[in-house]
Amino acid sequence: MAQDGVSRTLQVTIESSGRSVTRELSAAEYTVGRDTACDIVVDVPFVSRRHARLIRQDRSYRYVHEGSNPTLLKGAPIVDRVVQDGDELLVGSGRESVRFIFRFGTSKQTQAPRDLADDQTNSGFVDLAVGDKLRIGREAGNDLVLDSPVISRRHAAIERFADGVHVRDLGSTNGTFLNGNAITVAVMGEGDSVRIGPYKLLLRGARLWQYDTSRYAEVRGYHLTRYAGGRLILDDVSVAALPGEVTAIAGVSGAGKSTLLSALNGLVPADAGTVLINDENLYWNYGALQLLFGYVPQADIVHRELALGDALRAAAQLRLPIDTPPNELEGRLDETLDSLDLLSRKDQQIKKMSGGQQKRASLAIELIARPPLLLLDEPTTGLDPGLRRQLMQLLRQLAAQGRTVLLVTHDPDSLSYSDQLIFLASGGRVAYMGPTADALDYFGAPDFVDVYTRVEQQSTPEDWQFRFRASTQHRRYLEQRLPEIGTIQVDGTVRRGRVRPPLVPKLETPAERRVVLHQVGVLARRYLKVLLNDRRNLALLLMQAPVLALLLALVSNSDDLTGAQETGNAKRLLLLLATCGIWLGTINAAREIVKELPVFIREQLMGVSPLTYMASKVVVLSALSLVQSSMLLLVLGVAVELPSDGVILPGPLEMYFSLTLASLAAMSIGLLVSALSTSQERAMTIVPLVLIPQIIFAGVIFDLSGVADGLSILSLGRWAVELLGATSGVPGGAYARTAGHQLIRWLILIAMFVLASAATLWVLSRKDGQDLARA
């Protein structure tokens, strides 16, 4: 195409929902439509699957309309027109519209490779010559600025050398992924892709194409099948959820609704089948794609003792890069709270908010990173009808902003607020999939309550499944949305990416060490605030030590620990003192993991390792144990004289050190009990099974021999009593006043702390979406 001797090309700019992409036209013909097989894909509901053709004619193109919805030029419909410079063609109306703007120009923009079905996400390319270095990040001074709160200010660098293109992560918080794998330094080959937050960079020749999915997430699941205990609970389910829509997953009890949601978000991958997010395999690329979605489980993922602002601030500090300035972070908090009408509640304790506000608080935790995909499990549970309506209206507003919203619900009234409905019969079989507005006609039911009754009573689950697969709804709303459904088969193999972070995070670089220390600090400060805000519980914890010490003082003589010690009172007193320290350490920790298990699992999916999480618990609980042990000895010391000289240290200090070590070892066992328990009540029933053996096998009440003597090796009480007895000068070989005696027993208590902590870490590393569903 030439004009006045200058090479000119026709470009089309496609604008929709505040986004635009420009394509340079050069081929003989293009198809335009929603179908991913089209040359120019415009994936919005009111554009037909094959909406139009662009056919080259002389220096321009003919626009030939083929869709059901009209294409307008200056308000009048067109069918066949040679486009002119400046033509603006409109499909739809108002905010729900797509605009095609044609102009002649000399832009360098050329057609992007069709590696993503969503061509709306293409926002240009960069040419890389040998020696070129592209600095990438959120900060304005980078060569390639990527606007997303989850991207670090200086995130990564891509440089072309003679031997290829090198990708380097610059110590980012949320990672750089090459073909789905987290990297520090790697070589990028032809066709490889780098994902940085919601952005994908694709290498084609010397050109790096950029795709922005920060406001676009298409979810497609193919042939999802899952078994539990040998029983089929998800039977060959295929689904599609698109931007701008609220898709509800409903069904009879036990139909596998939450199982399907867990398969679609990767928490518990299906045993067979495929889930694609923007055409990328979620199970293969979980680490790279997890920042695209927010997940709100049925259980609360906020600490009710915290003020809303404190809870959201901690969540932001864990999800956003550690280089996010405080003022920017606070701005994100206020923006998120304002969007949910919660800004006025920022300083209010969450437990004092209404049920609907608490649900929105959990949603705010996920929205802080601006994910384009939201998945919610039973979000309206426990809400009255008015609050359910408010929450569903909020979800519709979020979808109207371009997000994809998927939710599980058992509430028939909430279904009317969804655009698409997936209704499951027993055994995870699809009874219906399509527009919610058409569902009542499909089932022949007057309301959605009657739909549940009909699906349960009128036919078998297999019959409902067969009926749907033979229906026009299956062809119209599933096959057309999933054009490849017939080519993706169930092969029984699913490659799962690493959903959970490693047990122990890598600490190979200063950046990795900074991230881990940052996370420990955030979690510890949050946990400390939880303790301080729960004043009644904190008062009970702190009062236990002096009360126990007063009780010991009532049954003791002032010289029991410093006199001739022939009466046996010294051993009994030291046993009770050791038991009190062990009790305090155990009871402090026994509920601290299980009570916030949903929070831990959700944050583990965001990159918080079990070691990081547990370290924050140990820091705060250790401080509590130090305070309690000091109060225990100080109050006891008022009535009972403590030995002035110890074996290695001054007597009171040595007793304090031994008592604290016993308490810390007991704390680690308490954390293990908490990690193993399924509820706080179950944890508290296990505590006596931990405490009583400390008394039985301490060797004070009973003379131990044989098996009992062997079991006493595992008793914290034995080693604590022997340490305290040596300091107090109790006669007997078990209480030898030698440095070796004390050092060995201190090391044994430290070893018990380490072993119990290691066991707790292992248990935590096994927690996954199934535990979250049961919480």
Side-chain angles (χ1 to χ4, degrees):
M1 302 177 191
Q3 186 175 359
D4 298 330
V6 180
S7 177
R8 309 287 285 178
T9 57
L10 182 64
Q11 298 171 344
V12 57
T13 299
I14 306 167
E15 296 181 350
S16 174
S17 301
R19 295 172 293 177
S20 68
V21 60
T22 299
R23 293 284 299 272
E24 184 177 287
L25 304 179
S26 58
E29 183 174 336
Y30 295 90
T31 55
V32 181
R34 198 174 73 247
D35 195 322
T36 56
C38 290
D39 301 304
I40 299 177
V41 179
V42 186
D43 199 352
V44 293
F46 48 85
V47 171
S48 301
R49 297 196 61 82
R50 186 180 172 96
H51 194 88
R53 285 185 298 155
L54 287 169
I55 305 170
R56 186 161 59 194
Q57 180 170 322
D58 297 328
R59 297 179 178 180
S60 186
Y61 279 79
R62 285 174 53 218
Y63 181 95
V64 180
H65 179 78
E66 297 179 347
S68 55
N69 289 329
T71 301
L72 306 177
L73 174 65
K74 297 180 180 180
I78 63 169
V79 177
D80 191 333
R81 172 185 172 83
V82 178
V83 296
Q84 307 296 319
D85 190 13
D87 275 357
E88 295 189 12
L89 308 184
L90 184 70
V91 180
S93 61
R95 298 180 62 182
E96 297 294 323
S97 64
V98 175
R99 191 179 304 273
F100 299 88
I101 304 171
F102 294 90
R103 289 190 177 91
F104 287 100
T106 56
S107 170
K108 295 180 181 179
Q109 181 85 2
T110 60
Q111 182 177 344
R114 289 189 36 75
D115 291 78
L116 288 181
D118 173 32
D119 285 341
Q120 294 184 72
T121 65
N122 175 31
S123 56
F125 63 84
V126 175
D127 286 321
L128 285 175
V130 174
D132 285 351
K133 184 174 183 179
L134 192 66
R135 295 174 182 83
I136 304 169
R138 192 178 78 250
E139 196 172 53
N142 288 286
D143 302 307
L144 181 57
V145 178
L146 303 181
D147 181 22
S148 170
V150 300
I151 294 176
S152 297
R153 294 167 66 186
R154 290 176 290 278
H155 196 105
I158 297 180
E159 188 171 4
R160 179 176 284 280
F161 295 93
D163 63 341
V165 176
H166 292 207
V167 185
R168 180 184 300 275
D169 183 84
L170 299 180
S172 67
T173 299
N174 289 317
T176 301
F177 298 85
L178 177 63
N179 298 329
N181 299 310
I183 58 101
T184 301
V185 181
V187 177
M188 190 178 187
E190 174 68 18
D192 285 346
S193 64
V194 170
R195 181 167 283 280
I196 297 175
Y199 290 85
K200 180 176 180 178
L201 305 175
L202 180 69
L203 183 65
R204 282 287 187 263
R207 184 161 289 173
L208 192 68
W209 292 90
Q210 175 188 332
Y211 298 87
D212 175 9
T213 57
S214 61
R215 291 174 292 179
Y216 187 92
E218 178 181 295
V219 182
R220 292 185 287 163
Y222 295 88
H223 304 297
L224 299 174
T225 302
R226 189 158 187 276
Y227 294 85
R231 183 171 60 91
L232 184 65
I233 59 174
L234 207 60
D235 186 6
D236 193 15
V237 178
S238 297
V239 302
L242 302 180
E245 294 180 350
V246 176
T247 300
I249 302 173
V252 301
S253 297
K257 301 182 292 292
S258 294
T259 300
L260 176 57
L261 189 71
S262 295
L264 291 172
N265 65 25
L267 270 175
V268 186
D271 296 318
T274 303
V275 175
L276 304 181
I277 296 183
N278 293 341
D279 286 342
E280 293 184 71
N281 191 312
L282 175 64
Y283 297 165
W284 292 15
N285 305 283
Y286 189 92
L289 295 174
Q290 64 178 342
L291 291 172
L292 293 182
F293 60 81
Y295 173 55
V296 182
Q298 185 173 349
D300 288 335
I301 55 172
V302 292
H303 292 84
R304 299 178 71 251
E305 299 81 6
L306 291 178
L308 176 58
D310 289 335
L312 194 57
R313 188 174 297 106
Q317 290 169 337
L318 291 173
R319 286 163 168 76
L320 304 186
I322 62 176
D323 60 11
T324 304
N327 60 335
E328 182 179 333
L329 188 141
E330 289 298 322
R332 288 287 311 136
L333 261 63
D334 290 347
E335 177 186 332
T336 302
L337 291 174
D338 189 47
S339 69
L340 299 175
D341 196 25
L342 287 174
L343 187 57
S344 62
R345 307 287 181 177
K346 185 176 181 180
D347 298 321
Q348 185 176 7
Q349 255 188 320
I350 293 174
K351 66 181 180 182
K352 296 180 180 179
M353 295 163 56
S354 69
Q357 290 168 341
Q358 290 182 20
K359 289 292 184 181
R360 278 184 279 159
S362 291
L363 188 56
I365 295 290
E366 298 302 321
L367 289 179
I368 194 71
R370 291 198 318 218
L373 169 62
L374 289 175
L375 304 108
L376 307 97
D377 194 355
E378 302 278 13
T380 60
T381 298
L383 301 182
D384 62 47
L387 293 176
R388 288 200 297 266
R389 176 182 298 176
Q390 290 178 21
L391 183 60
M392 291 305 300
Q393 288 173 341
L394 172 63
L395 295 179
R396 284 208 58 82
Q397 292 173 14
L398 294 173
Q401 296 168 8
R403 289 184 174 90
T404 304
V405 179
L406 260 166
L407 74 145
V408 169
T409 182
H410 68 280
D411 174 35
D413 294 335
S414 298
L415 296 180
S416 60
Y417 293 92
S418 65
D419 301 294
Q420 298 290 319
L421 173 63
I422 302 166
F423 200 94
L424 300 179
S426 294
R429 297 174 175 89
V430 178
Y432 173 79
M433 188 179 301
T436 307
D438 297 345
L440 295 181
D441 287 341
Y442 178 83
F443 287 105
D447 53 43
F448 283 111
V449 174
D450 195 56
V451 170
Y452 284 83
T453 303
R454 289 170 183 257
V455 172
E456 282 191 294
Q457 298 179 2
Q458 283 193 355
S459 299
T460 66
E462 292 81 3
D463 288 340
W464 285 111
Q465 183 185 54
F466 178 80
R467 176 186 173 186
F468 173 67
R469 290 181 175 177
S471 68
T472 57
Q473 283 80 7
H474 186 279
R475 292 189 294 274
R476 183 180 302 172
Y477 302 117
L478 186 60
E479 293 178 12
Q480 290 185 9
R481 285 187 168 212
L482 299 175
E484 307 91 349
I485 189 171
T487 64
I488 298 181
Q489 301 298 326
V490 178
D491 59 7
T493 60
V494 177
R495 174 186 164 192
R496 294 172 176 83
R498 175 173 287 278
V499 174
R500 297 183 291 266
L503 180 68
V504 179
K506 296 187 297 180
L507 298 173
E508 298 172 357
T509 67
E512 290 168 342
R513 290 191 286 273
R514 284 196 302 273
V515 169
V516 169
L517 291 175
H518 169 76
Q519 290 180 344
V520 172
V522 171
L523 294 172
R525 288 192 297 273
R526 182 181 68 184
Y527 182 33
L528 181 60
K529 285 183 179 179
V530 170
L531 283 178
L532 294 176
N533 288 351
D534 192 356
R535 296 178 182 176
R536 182 177 299 178
N537 181 60
L538 181 61
L540 290 173
L541 290 175
L542 292 178
M543 287 303 296
Q544 286 186 82
V547 169
L548 291 173
L550 286 172
L551 294 175
L552 292 179
L554 288 175
V555 297
S556 304
N557 299 313
S558 62
D559 63 346
D560 277 347
L561 299 181
T562 57
Q565 299 161 337
E566 296 295 336
T567 64
N569 275 359
K571 287 185 180 180
R572 288 190 288 270
L573 176 58
L574 294 175
L575 171 62
L576 292 174
L577 181 61
T579 302
C580 288
I582 294 168
W583 161 261
L584 293 172
T586 306
I587 202 68
N588 289 345
R591 295 176 297 178
E592 296 310 295
I593 292 177
V594 67
K595 75 177 184 181
E596 57 178 42
L597 185 60
V599 179
F600 163 69
I601 294 176
R602 183 65 191 99
E603 290 176 348
Q604 186 179 212
L605 296 172
M606 297 302 299
V608 174
S609 72
L611 179 63
T612 302
Y613 175 79
M614 187 172 172
S616 69
K617 293 289 185 188
V618 169
V619 167
V620 177
L621 291 174
S622 295
L624 181 59
S625 292
L626 290 171
V627 172
Q628 290 175 322
S629 296
S630 64
M631 294 174 70
L632 192 62
L633 279 179
L634 286 172
V635 175
L636 180 65
V638 173
V640 178
E641 185 181 356
L642 302 181
S644 58
D645 296 322
V647 179
I648 299 175
L649 303 170
L653 181 59
E654 189 169 282
M655 292 189 74
Y656 175 65
F657 186 68
S658 299
L659 190 63
T660 300
L661 277 184
S663 182
L664 292 178
M667 174 198 71
S668 66
I669 293 175
L671 289 173
L672 178 59
V673 168
S674 189
L676 288 168
S677 301
T678 56
S679 67
Q680 296 185 57
E681 293 75 17
R682 182 69 58 84
M684 296 311 294
T685 62
I686 298 175
V687 168
L689 299 179
V690 174
L691 182 65
I692 293 174
Q694 313 305 321
I695 302 172
I696 295 174
F697 296 109
V700 174
I701 299 177
F702 305 103
D703 293 326
L704 304 177
S705 61
V707 175
D709 187 48
L711 290 174
S712 70
I713 295 174
L714 303 176
S715 169
L716 295 176
R718 169 184 171 177
W719 306 115
V721 169
E722 290 183 3
L723 281 164
L724 296 171
T727 302
S728 301
V730 173
Y735 310 101
R737 285 180 59 84
T738 65
H741 176 279
Q742 299 296 79
L743 289 173
I744 289 173
R745 282 151 181 79
W746 283 340
L747 288 174
I748 289 173
L749 290 177
I750 292 172
M752 287 183 166
F753 169 84
V754 172
L755 288 173
S757 298
T760 305
L761 287 176
W762 184 84
V763 173
L764 289 177
S765 71
R766 311 311 300 167
K767 301 292 184 182
D768 58 19
Q770 296 183 70
D771 298 277
L772 186 56
R774 291 191 292 264

